[in-house]
Amino acid sequence: RAELATGDGRGYAAVLLDLIKAFEMIPHEHIVEAAKRHGYNLWILRLSLQAYRAPRTVMVDGACSSLKQATLGITAGSGFATEELACLLLDICDDVQKSYPTVDVTEYVDDLTLAHSGPEWFNVDILASATNHVIDALQNGLDLQVSGTKSVVVASSDAQAEGIEERID
């Protein structure tokens, strides 16, 4: 996309958002709500959540804790975790597509990328706005945190990247 845009004389920019401990920090009630909205199999979800909530202990140097039950998070690597996370992020991706129809949204496991090609000034405006919208939805709507250190802006010019970074809250 970037090569095609710059080859045609357009600017290109993308914001890559990394969620902090996405799998570990997802509140179970958010997954259930999203699953109901999107027709996810609730029987499978119930079994999956029961597995995540199975009482377990923590062992360090032979010392074992009392039983603890998780009420937050899903297990990365479990058979359904990526689908559960995708179900959770689907509303945000759909909302970006409705609110910012020219922005390309890509979700890959627990990373979101927002990209746009066009005049550089417009890339800055639309990506900064869309990014702030997504960060607000993730942090205030889903209780997930976006990494300020691992999230990055890439662009076909330094001015675009700096402009976007300056306008992200």
Side-chain angles (χ1 to χ4, degrees), residues 10-114:
R10 295 175 284 136
Y12 182 85
V15 179
L16 294 76
L17 298 175
D18 181 78
L19 296 174
I20 298 171
K21 303 230 179 248
F23 287 96
E24 294 91 338
M25 300 305 295
I26 296 172
H28 291 173
E29 64 269 13
H30 289 316
I31 298 171
V32 172
E33 292 166 9
K36 288 177 182 176
R37 276 194 307 278
H38 299 294
Y40 189 85
N41 186 316
L42 296 179
W43 287 101
I44 297 293
L45 181 61
R46 181 177 178 211
L47 291 171
S48 186
L49 290 177
Q50 285 178 336
Y52 302 144
R53 289 178 173 222
R56 55 194 72 175
T57 62
V58 177
M59 183 180 280
V60 178
D61 292 331
C64 196
S65 73
S66 60
L67 286 174
K68 302 293 179 189
Q69 183 179 31
T71 58
L72 189 69
I74 57 180
T75 305
S78 77
F80 299 106
T82 55
E83 288 82 8
E84 292 160 359
L85 183 58
C87 185
L88 185 67
L89 297 176
L90 186 58
D91 286 328
I92 292 174
C93 294
D94 286 347
D95 186 44
V96 170
Q97 289 295 269
K98 288 177 193 165
S99 302
Y100 304 92
T102 60
V103 171
D104 293 319
V105 181
T106 305
E107 182 228 338
Y108 184 76
V109 189
D110 63 342
D111 297 313
L112 288 173
T113 300
L114 308 175

